[in-house]
Amino acid sequence: MNQNRFKIYFFLLLIFITGLLFLKVEYSLSISYKEALNLFVNESVLSIITNISTYIFGQNDLALRGPFVIFYVLSSFLMYKITKNYFKYEKDRFINIVIFMTLPGVLSASLLVNTAIIVIFFTLIYIYYYQTYQKHLYVILPFLLLVDNSFAILFLSLFFFSFKTKDRLLLYLSVTLFFLSLYIYGFSTDGKPKGFLIDTVGIYSAIFSPVLFLYFLYAIYKVAFSKDTNLVWYISFTALILSIIISFRQRVYIEDFAPFVVIFLPMMLKMFLNAYRVRLKEFRKAYNILAILIIFMLFINVFLTFINKPLYYVLPEPKKHFVYQYHFAKDLSKELKAKNINNIIVDDNELALRLKFYQIEVGDRYFLSTKEFYNYDEKIAINYLGKDIFFVYIKKL
């Protein structure tokens, strides 16, 4: 009875958050330049997914981002299934899935056109299969090599894990796929060596929330000296250490590492709850404060994920907004269409590619510039909640 109650809570929460994600996609986000590149120029897994979706459902934001919201839903189901026999109490399992579904990194990955949520999904499939059948899903590993370069981290972690399990097939397969991944996708060593450790820690803190990331570091360190170093620990530990090592020399593409780190959440939560419950009530004060801080920070992050346009009021420069690159293009296209402007020459190639997604094609009837010039015919300002954040200047040719 108790199990069914929490299962209902999970489904209701999943429906609620998924609805919020689709509303966010439809009414708040615009295609970014990098996303437009993936749709119109690049040849990758992202290009295939977005082109198929927009071909079937039309060239709109729901079709563009819908597949990644679906991956979020499937990943949530997998995380829920993985923890079926992991926690002693069903409410602990529910707490785990609530935190997972509201992690800033997971939510943002489900809204944007990137491979992070895809990597989370396939990693959880691998873990679920291993936990269910106590066997490695060898057949999927060569496929993952073609999906994304970040799976090199999974291959490396499986290589280290094979020494613990004394699995020769896993050892040979994982090391082969790891080097094949480096050969196919390369490994950037360009530029002058420079430390980016603080940047890496800062981004991890944003993905987890600062307090939760600190506890993650504590938990993964503590498990390292215990007998609980399972497959999930090897994956997360390898991703964390590798990202730190690389950040001593160059900037880390954290989206390659974060999917393998967030899956450590069940082990973190189990450790926290066990430590909490073995203490008498009068000695739980520090844990209560930690839990309140984590919940508060997660609430703030979730709130800002869905409602962030008011931040333009307090920012001196609109471009400093953390999702500025995902704003205004759709709104600008609506303004242009309202004025019957559908063919333009744009002095900004990035903006031109973004507008192309909204059926504003390159033509010779109007000239549009993001910089003011002396004889323009019209000025369009994109306004969010009473504050202008973007301007364009138009001249009829």
Side-chain angles (χ1 to χ4, degrees):
M1 185 67 181
N2 189 47
Q3 182 177 356
N4 291 334
R5 178 161 58 94
F6 282 108
K7 185 178 291 186
I8 292 171
Y9 292 162
F10 163 63
F11 280 109
L12 290 175
L13 179 67
L14 184 60
I15 292 170
F16 177 69
I17 293 180
T18 304
L20 288 179
L21 290 172
F22 278 119
L23 286 173
K24 178 74 174 177
V25 167
E26 177 65 16
Y27 296 106
S28 186
L29 292 177
S30 297
I31 191 170
S32 70
Y33 174 61
K34 287 184 178 180
E35 292 172 333
L37 281 176
N38 279 315
L39 182 66
F40 295 118
V41 180
N42 297 342
E43 295 181 359
S44 64
V45 170
L46 291 178
S47 303
I48 294 171
I49 293 173
T50 52
N51 275 285
I52 290 175
S53 182
T54 53
Y55 177 80
I56 295 173
F57 300 106
Q59 200 162 290
N60 56 74
D61 286 283
L62 284 175
L64 178 73
R65 305 185 191 279
F68 305 95
V69 177
I70 299 303
F71 274 115
Y72 167 83
V73 173
L74 296 175
S75 298
S76 299
F77 272 115
L78 281 169
M79 177 59 78
Y80 192 70
K81 294 286 288 183
I82 285 170
T83 56
K84 182 178 181 180
N85 300 314
Y86 194 80
F87 293 102
K88 184 178 180 180
Y89 303 105
E90 191 65 23
K91 66 178 180 180
D92 296 349
R93 185 185 180 197
F94 179 70
I95 293 171
N96 175 79
I97 196 64
V98 170
I99 296 175
F100 174 78
M101 291 168 63
T102 56
L103 280 176
V106 177
L107 278 178
S108 61
S110 67
L111 286 169
L112 309 180
V113 179
N114 62 54
T115 56
I117 196 66
I118 300 174
V119 174
I120 291 174
F121 170 71
F122 281 111
T123 303
L124 289 175
I125 281 182
Y126 194 91
I127 293 169
Y128 174 72
Y129 184 89
Y130 180 78
Q131 290 187 355
T132 304
Y133 302 103
Q134 293 300 305
K135 295 179 181 179
H136 289 279
L137 192 58
Y138 298 112
V139 69
I140 201 177
L141 293 178
F143 168 74
L144 297 182
L145 174 67
L146 304 176
V147 172
D148 192 62
N149 66 300
S150 61
F151 279 112
I153 300 164
L154 176 64
F155 302 145
L156 185 61
S157 62
L158 291 176
F159 170 73
F160 292 134
F161 186 65
S162 68
F163 287 99
K164 178 180 180 177
T165 58
K166 297 180 174 58
D167 188 330
R168 289 191 175 184
L169 176 59
L170 182 64
L171 186 150
Y172 297 140
L173 181 60
S174 60
V175 73
T176 301
L177 291 173
F178 174 72
F179 283 111
L180 277 175
S181 181
L182 294 183
Y183 175 77
I184 293 172
Y185 299 105
F187 180 76
S188 176
T189 57
D190 297 334
K192 184 179 180 180
K194 185 179 179 181
F196 287 96
L197 180 61
I198 295 177
D199 300 63
T200 300
V201 171
I203 298 173
Y204 272 132
S205 298
I207 290 169
F208 276 103
S209 82
V211 179
L212 195 58
F213 176 63
L214 289 175
Y215 192 79
F216 161 76
L217 293 176
Y218 165 76
I220 206 163
Y221 170 79
K222 189 172 181 180
V223 172
F225 294 95
S226 70
K227 296 179 181 179
D228 296 327
T229 51
N230 57 17
L231 175 60
V232 174
W233 180 86
Y234 271 88
I235 295 172
S236 296
F237 183 77
T238 301
L240 175 68
I241 296 301
L242 191 60
S243 64
I244 290 174
I245 291 173
I246 294 174
S247 68
F248 281 118
R249 187 196 184 279
Q250 63 192 62
R251 189 179 298 277
V252 171
Y253 294 100
I254 209 70
E255 58 268 25
D256 291 341
F257 297 89
F260 304 107
V261 172
V262 297
I263 62 171
F264 192 69
L265 177 63
M267 295 188 70
M268 293 167 55
L269 183 61
K270 187 175 183 179
M271 181 182 295
F272 177 85
L273 293 174
N274 288 343
Y276 180 83
R277 286 172 178 147
V278 297
R279 286 166 170 79
L280 298 173
K281 288 186 177 181
E282 55 265 32
F283 299 110
R284 294 176 177 176
K285 184 176 180 180
Y287 287 86
N288 287 329
I289 293 173
L290 182 60
I292 291 170
L293 286 173
I294 290 173
I295 293 170
F296 176 73
M297 292 302 297
L298 283 175
F299 173 79
I300 293 297
N301 280 294
V302 171
F303 181 81
L304 291 177
T305 297
F306 291 107
I307 304 174
N308 50 57
K309 287 183 179 179
L311 289 177
Y312 283 112
Y313 272 117
V314 298
L315 292 172
E317 173 58 46
K319 290 184 179 180
K320 292 184 179 180
H321 196 293
F322 68 99
V323 287
Y324 177 79
Q325 62 182 316
Y326 299 98
H327 281 161
F328 70 77
K330 183 195 297 185
D331 305 283
L332 176 59
S333 70
K334 290 179 180 178
E335 292 285 343
L336 293 172
K337 288 176 181 178
K339 299 177 185 297
N340 200 31
I341 300 175
N342 299 297
N343 295 280
I344 57 173
I345 298 172
V346 186
D347 67 347
D348 184 332
N349 292 331
E350 294 185 8
L351 179 60
L353 195 63
R354 296 177 68 187
L355 290 175
K356 179 181 178 181
F357 179 73
Y358 300 107
Q359 292 82 44
I360 304 295
E361 301 290 343
V362 175
D364 57 3
R365 294 185 62 187
Y366 295 89
F367 172 72
L368 183 149
S369 176
T370 57
K371 299 176 182 178
E372 185 176 0
F373 53 95
Y374 78 97
N375 63 339
Y376 68 86
D377 294 326
E378 191 168 1
K379 176 182 177 180
I380 296 178
I382 302 302
N383 182 289
Y384 288 160
L385 303 175
K387 184 172 181 177
D388 295 332
I389 68 150
F390 187 75
F391 302 92
V392 294
Y393 304 88
I394 301 172
K395 175 73 175 179
K396 188 173 184 179
L397 301 178

